[in-house]
Structure formats: C-alpha cells, structure tokens
Amino acid sequence: MTRLLVSVRDVPEALLAAGGGADFIDLKEPRDGALGGLALETIAAVVAALRERAIGLPVSATIGDLGMDQLAAILARVQAVAACGVDYVKVGIERAPGAGAVLDALATCGPAVVPVFIADRGLDAALLRRACDSSFPALMVDTADKLAGSLFDVMALPDLQRFVDTVRSSGALAGVAGALRLPHLPALARLQPDFAGFRTAVCSGSRSGALDRQRLQALAAQLHDTALAPVAVSVPVA
C-alpha cells in the first residue's frame, strides 16, 4: 500500500496531520522553496510534541534548498537537523556537477539520509544507480517548480516506473512527490511507490496556506483505497 507523507511547518500542523491519516510527518517550510528548511527549534519542538503524545509516526525534515557546490554546508545542516530527533533527513539532489560527491558524502555521514532527486531537468540514470548502490533507507523524486505542473507533467509514467523499480530492487523505499493532487491518485495506484508526498492537495488554497483536516482525511482515504485497486490513468502524462 502506498503510504501518505504530509509536509507540515509547525506543531499544530503536525498534530493535525497525525490525526488526519498521515503515515509520515515531513517537516519543511513551503514558502521557502521545494525543500525549504524550518528553524532547528521548530523541528525539535515538533518531534517533542509528537513523542510526548506517543505518536510514533516516522518524522523527516528537509535541510533547505542548498546547491551541489555547497557540500560542507549540506553536511553541517544534515547533522544539525538529525540532532533534533527526526528519523530521516531529506536532502535535495540536483542534476548538477558535484551531485555524485554529495551523494557519496551523505551515504557515510551517519544520520539516516533520504536523497530527493529533483526531476525538473530529468533524472541522471548513473546518479540514481550510484545512490542505489549506497545504504540510503529511501530515495525520492520531487519537483522544484511547483507552478510548472505536477511530477507527472515533468516525467513520463514509464520513467517514473523505472525509478520506483530501480529503487525497490536496491532494497530502499521509493517515494514520489511534486504538486500531487487528487486526480493523480490513479497514476499513483499504477506506480505503487512506497510513499507519496503531498502539501498543496491538503491545504486551503496554495501550498503555503493552512493545512485542511477535511482535505487531508479525504486524501488519506482515497489514496489507500486507490492503491489497493489500481484503475486507468486519468491525468495527462508528459
């Protein structure tokens, strides 16, 4: 079954997501880019609030949008975010010089890191294989420009299927995200990733708006039902 990852920005949103059907809590600031990072104090407060209430859902947090030429800053931020108590630290991987060195360093840095491949300019097959040959617990694909369409507008369904299959064959979990909405659920049912990330679809208005409990509960119910009963794709695939 495809599990639901919901991105939240503070304690109230995290508690709402946990009670509304999320399987993963993901910490980020949507106003600061695709992988905008939260203040360390906020990350620690969310983790503490969840654990104080015996909510054992896995928690991830992004480090922020850092370029592949900022290796030292990336590694320092990974350690700082991990020290807040999250289960996984998410790091964006761009198709750019230096990405291979970043992946190699992340694979041996200590914390459980989830590389997030940014798909706007396509995926580098060699870079993906390099990541799959490392010990990452999960790999994701996402988009940077949320106004340019969804992940399914950026990548063709067969290419996404190859991503999921390649990651799974390595023993890691495969995750997808990128302006996903309710009409994309049939396509997700065909892909069957281990988890799918949502923000806009569960907000009132834009992705920077407030989390909406009704939207979240409806999405959780439909995602889990659709994942169990794949149907024909009804969204355009670029």
Side-chain angles (χ1 to χ4, degrees), residues 114-137:
V114 176
V116 181
F117 287 88
I118 305 302
D120 298 57
R121 293 190 293 162
L123 294 186
D124 184 321
L127 201 59
L128 176 59
R129 175 48 59 190
R130 191 167 182 167
C132 287
D133 289 340
S134 301
S135 56
F136 297 113

Side-chain angles (χ1 to χ4, degrees), residues 131-174:
C132 287
D133 289 340
S134 301
S135 56
F136 297 113
L139 298 172
M140 284 190 72
V141 62
D142 198 350
T143 60
D145 187 354
K146 305 302 182 183
L147 300 179
S150 75
L151 178 65
F152 293 101
D153 296 310
V154 173
M155 288 184 68
L157 191 59
D159 293 333
L160 283 168
Q161 192 67 67
R162 277 191 290 274
F163 171 83
V164 171
D165 293 343
T166 299
V167 173
R168 279 239 186 85
S169 69
S170 75
L173 299 178

Side-chain angles (χ1 to χ4, degrees), residues 21-208:
D23 300 302
F24 291 93
I25 304 297
D26 179 51
L27 309 182
K28 69 167 63 169
E29 177 46 75
R31 289 172 292 202
D32 291 339
L35 296 174
L38 289 167
L40 297 177
E41 294 80 3
T42 301
I43 296 173
V46 171
V47 173
L50 291 170
R51 300 313 180 223
E52 285 169 2
R53 293 163 174 79
I55 298 171
L57 296 177
V59 180
S60 62
T62 64
I63 67 166
D65 288 314
L66 297 175
M68 297 297 91
D69 58 347
Q70 298 178 271
L71 178 57
I74 289 171
L75 293 177
R77 184 68 181 180
V78 166
Q79 297 296 336
V81 170
C84 294
V86 299
D87 300 291
Y88 304 102
V89 182
K90 290 169 59 181
V91 179
I93 303 296
E94 301 171 336
R95 188 172 186 173
V102 170
L103 279 173
D104 291 345
L106 292 174
T108 58
C109 72
V113 173
V114 176
V116 181
F117 287 88
I118 305 302
D120 298 57
R121 293 190 293 162
L123 294 186
D124 184 321
L127 201 59
L128 176 59
R129 175 48 59 190
R130 191 167 182 167
C132 287
D133 289 340
S134 301
S135 56
F136 297 113
L139 298 172
M140 284 190 72
V141 62
D142 198 350
T143 60
D145 187 354
K146 305 302 182 183
L147 300 179
S150 75
L151 178 65
F152 293 101
D153 296 310
V154 173
M155 288 184 68
L157 191 59
D159 293 333
L160 283 168
Q161 192 67 67
R162 277 191 290 274
F163 171 83
V164 171
D165 293 343
T166 299
V167 173
R168 279 239 186 85
S169 69
S170 75
L173 299 178
V176 300
L180 300 178
R181 296 176 181 269
L182 285 176
H184 298 115
L185 295 188
L188 289 172
R190 287 190 59 183
L191 279 178
Q192 289 287 286
D194 294 294
F195 59 96
F198 291 84
R199 173 70 193 185
T200 306
V202 294
C203 285
S204 301
S206 70
R207 67 192 299 267
S208 61

